[in-house]
Amino acid sequence: MPKNILPVKLHEIREGVVTDVMHNGMGVILVDDYPVKLVDAFLGEKIKYELTQVDRLSAFGQVLQVLEPSPERIQANKDYLLEAGVAPYVNLSYQGQLR
């Protein structure tokens, strides 16, 4: 059985640009065509993140720092909504949410 070699490792800290947003509001950064999904990451932003879960199809990460924020990013100070998973766009302006 061939061994899969993944382009990322658990707890690795990386930087990348969000190239897509999923239907559930998670931003996606591609690492050699391997998707890394992040909460509170918006299209076009440059993000510093830590990988928190890795499997053979995709990975999840936690945003450590927004290096180049979207012009539509706001600071709503309601991070508890992100943790609960009920408002993935809480830090995105209303106009940005409509787009």
Side-chain angles (χ1 to χ4, degrees):
M1 174 184 251
K3 183 177 178 183
N4 288 340
I5 299 174
L6 301 176
V8 298
K9 294 181 180 165
L10 187 63
H11 300 298
E12 184 178 18
I13 296 176
R14 300 181 68 108
E15 292 180 8
V17 176
V18 178
T19 58
D20 196 12
V21 177
M22 297 175 53
H23 68 280
N24 62 1
M26 296 184 96
V28 177
I29 294 176
L30 292 176
V31 179
D32 298 333
D33 294 327
Y34 178 82
V36 177
K37 302 167 189 170
L38 304 158
V39 174
D40 197 30
F42 305 122
L43 196 60
E45 290 187 323
K46 185 172 183 180
I47 304 290
K48 182 177 184 179
Y49 60 95
E50 178 180 3
L51 293 156
T52 57
Q53 181 181 347
V54 176
D55 64 33
R56 66 182 189 88
L57 299 177
S58 65
F60 290 90
Q62 178 180 5
V63 174
L64 299 177
Q65 183 179 7
V66 179
L67 302 173
E68 294 176 16
S70 166
E72 296 171 332
R73 178 178 278 277
I74 61 171
Q75 189 56 40
N77 294 322
K78 296 182 180 179
D79 289 339
Y80 60 90
L81 293 174
L82 290 171
E83 292 172 14
V86 296
Y89 297 113
V90 71
N91 289 325
L92 190 63
S93 70
Y94 180 68
Q95 291 301 319
Q97 292 178 31
L98 291 177
R99 276 191 262 297

